[in-house]
Each structure stands twice: as structure tokens, then as C-alpha cells.
Amino acid sequence: MTVCATKISLSSRLKPNPSRLCIQACSTNESFQPQHPSLNFSGDNSSSGGWRIMGALLGLGTALAYHDHRCRASQESPPLYTKEEVYSHRSPETGIWVTLGSEVFDVTEFVGLHPGGPSKLMLAAGGPLEPFWALYAVHNQPHVRELLAQYKIGELNPEENVPPTLETSDPYADDPMRHPALKVNSQCPFNAEPPPELLTENYITPNPIFFTRNHLPVPNLDPDTYRLHIVGPPGGQSLSLSLGDLYKFPKHEVTVTLQCAGNRRSEMTRVKEVKGLEWRTGAISTARWAGARLCDVLAQAGHQLSETEAHVCFEGLDSDPTGTAYGASIPLARAMDPEAEVLLAYEMNGQPLPRDHGFPVRVVVPGVVGARHVKWLGRVSVESEESCSHWQRRDYKGFSPSVDWDTVDFDSAPSIQELPIQSAITEPQDGETIEPGEITVKGYAWSGGGRAVIRVDVSLDGGLTWHAADLDGEEQPPRKAWAWRLWQLQASVPAGQKELNIVCKAVDDSYNVQPDTVAPIWNLRGVLSNAWHRVHVHITP
């Protein structure tokens, strides 16, 4: 449907509340200009007819004068609401309110008419529209603002617009602002994922809703004084690189999907309790990264491939109150391989890295678990052993379902590097009610180590029968499939069906396939959760 057709369709379906008409009229630039009937009197009844018309005009004039008075009164003192009051209106039962600038709107009646579907508008319920309009700029048009004006109910209380104070005793007080669409798993440190309905809207995830995995407070670094320290080998030279120095290396760009080891951990929790954040399906996102190749920088410092095992250790500039920084490592062989495309990245989707994603420099290791993509990078060294960091030695490792916290031996398991084949459904959502007829199922699929996704199978009956989904997204070279494939399936809903048990599973080019259930892969940290993803939906009778 075109924008014009959408506008006409919506206009014909909208029924503005009479109580809002005054605000509506005062919120637009169009004046109210009634068509005046002619006062030409003729015939025997001209006198009485003329008086009737004159009386009607006088009555109309009185009504208009009263309406004008109401409008002026409304403009002079619109109802004022606090942000807390707006936030309390986030459901059909309480009413659905949103704000734009200082204006407050009750969009309860419009939610069902929203062209993008109710779920998209509900993401902004109880809060500002601006962050969502920034993602979908098509909204910021005159006809949309005109439409929104019909739902205005008042203004935000100006007394609330007081600049926040920085509590220096709180290590998280200087954390950056975040997009309200993100589903928060923890505030301090901040960890959040995009909602499913936005996750696969675009092949490239917009920066504001890219999933965020922080372990410590976000440092606020000055790009002018920033230095990256590269420890040289014996006989080599150590480097202290400014951002300007990094810009002098050949700029390399690559599209890479990052996935947290704990993605879909919440499904393991249903089997048996695990320790970790309750990630759903959104601890994964894709961006176009740019920066200097790590192999070029290491080579300038004098490093080369070693005949013995060696590791490149990364240390971030984020730290806890004791001064302990986040750290991780990857094998030197991967770091020195130009085909592995490991980056010291300073751009994300054509922009400087956002603070939550490592500004000014982070590591991007294509095909490897997100825990090794160290943010706010401060130091790089080559060592004979992997990083001594807690997050390398005592976390992000997989174990047998029989291992518990009394028997676990972290030294007995290798650190996670490449992740297994993964896929998940983002549309429809679990518990949703859909219309009979046709169904569209959407999702993502990705495999670690550069292995390409070659197929996604989707079942509508819990795995009894299967359909091959259509794959979308960039074609990728063999062994360098660093980014996900988005997929979708359009299928007919069997007649008379009251519910569907939708399942997806992906296959990569090594013919690795997802396991069918969670229990056999359960582990005490809830990592590597990649069983068939299942969504149960109801069908409207």
C-alpha cells in the first residue's frame, strides 16, 4: 500500500473523539471555514425562510464563538501530565499514551489501525516516539503529524525537564542513554536485546537497537587522548597508537554477526536453573564494521606466526572498583590470518562506535563468540597462554548436563571460540493469535567459524512435516560466511486448525544441524543453547 493510499484508508477509518476536537483544530494549520448559504430571498415564504436561515447562522456563530473560546482556553492551559503518568498508560486497559516533544497523545484507538501492526506501536507505549521515529524516518512526515494531532490530550509538565545530576559515587551514573525498545536483562551492568519484531526488520541491525552485553561500567574515553598499546615481541617494538595512527593503516570493512554465548539461555532455564542473564532470542545482531586489520598492526609491531601455540590477549579499558579489566584472547593463528579478517574496529555501520559498543576501538573477530570481541580496547599482547581473565578461564565454557557447581572443573574444558549452528523464529511470537488462511514465518540463522547456512527447515506441526524457508541476505564466500541469513516461509494454515506448533532448524555447509531438544545440551552456565526453536500460536476461529 502506498503512503497516499495508507493515508486515505486511515483517514476513512478514524473516528476522532469529540472531546479532542478542540485540540485537533488548534493543532493544525487549517482554519475552520464553514460554507455560508445564500441570502437571496424569493417567493411568498422568503421572509420566514430568511429568518430561519439567519437564526441558523446566529446559532452557528454562537457555537463557533464558543468553540473558539474553548480552543483559546485549551491553548492557554492544556492539561499537564508527568512522565510517570504517561508511563502508567501502557495497555488497552489503562489506555495507551505516547509523547512527541512536550505533547502527550492517547493513541489507544489508533493501535489497531497502525500500518506496521499493533506490536510496533506498542513498543513506544508509555514513552516517547522520537527514538522509534529515528529508526523509521518515514513517520516524520506532515500527514503523520496531522494524524497524530487528533489524539493529543495535553502536555508534559515542564517542571520535569530538569537536567539530571551525575552521582559520582555510582560507577554506572555516566553510562550512555539507551533506546527504549531494548528489552533490559540487567541495568548495572547494562545488558539488553532488541525485541523480536525489530530484530529481523533489517539485514543490518541499526546501532541503537544492537544487542548490548556489558560486564562492567561503560568508560567515557576521550578520543583525542586515547592510546592503544600493542606489546611488541622480544627484539620488536611496542606501539602506542592514537586513533589517527590507526586511521593510517589500510581500512578494511566486513559484515559480521555477533552472538552472545548465552543467547536463548532462557530456554535452558525451563529445563533446570542455570546461572546467567535470561537472554531470549535477541542476544545476536549484525553490523558493517570498519577498521584496521589486526594482522597488519601486529606485523608492524614485529609479530609473526609462531611454531608453538600462542594467543593474542586483549584487555579493555572498562574495569571494576578493584581495577580489574575485562579481558579475552584468541589464537594467534586466527589473528595473523588476513582471511580471518579480525579487526581493530573504529566504525559501526558507517559511524564511530557508540559508547555501548566499544568507542573508540574494539576487537571484531568474525565467526567467534561475542565474548572475545573486547570493547574499549586498551592493550594487545601475544602470550604463550590464553588470557588469564576470569571471562576467558572461568566462564564461557560448555559442560555435560551431569556437571553441577559442586563438581565443575573449568580447567577441563576449552574456552568457547566458534559457536554452533543457530536459528530462531522472530515472527510470529510465542502465544500470538493469528488469522486463518496464510501465515508468514520469519527468523534468522547463523553458524560460527564462517560456515554458511545452506538451509532452514520450518515445521508448522511440531516437527512432523517440514518446509524449506527462503533465505535472504548477502551471499557470502565459502568459509567466510561471517553474517547471518534472514529467512521467511509463507504457508497455508490447514483448514479447521486451532493452533500451530512452529519449529525451525538450520543446517550449515558442514551439515551441522541443531539438536531437537534442550535437555541433552543443558549446562550449568546456560551457554550454547541452540535446540530447535519452538513457537506456539493460536488461530482465530
Side-chain angles (χ1 to χ4, degrees), residues 252-272:
H252 190 74
E253 296 189 43
V254 60
T255 303
V256 177
T257 294
L258 268 63
Q259 181 180 209
C260 179
N263 191 30
R264 299 179 58 196
R265 178 180 283 130
S266 58
E267 295 166 49
M268 284 196 171
T269 302
R270 294 176 208 150
V271 174
K272 186 180 176 182

Side-chain angles (χ1 to χ4, degrees), residues 227-251:
R227 294 294 182 271
L228 172 60
H229 299 283
I230 311 292
V231 179
Q237 60 174 339
S238 293
L239 307 176
S240 180
L241 303 175
S242 67
L243 270 179
D245 294 329
L246 276 177
Y247 296 156
K248 294 174 185 176
F249 286 88
K251 185 178 182 179

Side-chain angles (χ1 to χ4, degrees), residues 463-481:
L464 297 177
T465 60
W466 297 89
H467 311 264
D470 296 322
L471 300 179
D472 299 323
E474 296 178 0
E475 291 290 335
Q476 301 172 75
R479 298 174 300 282
K480 294 178 68 173

Side-chain angles (χ1 to χ4, degrees), residues 129-329:
L129 286 171
E130 283 90 344
F132 299 92
W133 283 22
L135 283 177
Y136 302 103
V138 69
H139 289 82
N140 196 14
Q141 298 187 40
H143 78 271
V144 179
R145 288 181 172 272
E146 193 176 301
L147 186 65
L148 184 62
Q150 301 182 55
Y151 295 93
K152 182 173 176 180
I153 58 172
E155 302 269 345
L156 282 174
N157 190 332
E159 294 180 4
E160 285 204 323
N161 294 327
V162 179
T165 57
L166 182 65
E167 296 292 338
T168 55
S169 60
D170 179 3
Y172 295 96
D174 194 30
D175 269 19
M177 297 289 291
R178 278 88 181 206
H179 198 284
L182 291 170
K183 302 298 183 184
V184 179
N185 289 321
S186 76
Q187 282 287 355
C188 301
F190 186 79
N191 291 278
E193 59 190 292
E197 56 266 46
L198 295 186
L199 181 58
T200 52
E201 277 282 297
N202 302 286
Y203 178 68
I204 298 295
T205 311
N207 290 357
I209 59 168
F210 199 99
F211 92 95
T212 301
R213 176 66 175 112
N214 293 337
H215 296 82
L216 300 163
V218 176
N220 197 353
L221 303 175
D222 183 350
D224 294 330
T225 59
Y226 170 79
R227 294 294 182 271
L228 172 60
H229 299 283
I230 311 292
V231 179
Q237 60 174 339
S238 293
L239 307 176
S240 180
L241 303 175
S242 67
L243 270 179
D245 294 329
L246 276 177
Y247 296 156
K248 294 174 185 176
F249 286 88
K251 185 178 182 179
H252 190 74
E253 296 189 43
V254 60
T255 303
V256 177
T257 294
L258 268 63
Q259 181 180 209
C260 179
N263 191 30
R264 299 179 58 196
R265 178 180 283 130
S266 58
E267 295 166 49
M268 284 196 171
T269 302
R270 294 176 208 150
V271 174
K272 186 180 176 182
E273 185 178 358
V274 298
K275 286 188 177 180
L277 297 169
E278 286 290 290
W279 296 107
R280 294 171 288 276
T281 56
I284 183 171
S285 298
T286 298
R288 182 75 176 169
W289 308 91
R293 292 190 306 182
L294 178 59
C295 60
D296 294 338
V297 176
L298 290 177
Q300 181 159 315
H303 289 290
Q304 53 187 317
L305 279 174
S306 172
E307 294 182 0
T308 58
E309 184 181 16
H311 305 263
V312 179
C313 298
F314 308 113
E315 188 175 288
L317 293 170
D318 51 336
S319 61
D320 66 15
T322 69
T324 302
Y326 184 86
S329 60

Side-chain angles (χ1 to χ4, degrees), residues 61-90:
T62 303
L64 285 175
Y66 177 71
H67 175 79
D68 186 58
H69 170 74
R70 289 287 305 275
C71 275
R72 284 200 304 270
S74 165
Q75 286 181 315
E76 290 168 4
S77 56
L80 298 180
Y81 300 101
T82 65
K83 291 179 181 178
E84 186 177 352
E85 285 177 296
V86 175
Y87 185 73
S88 68
H89 291 79
R90 291 175 293 142

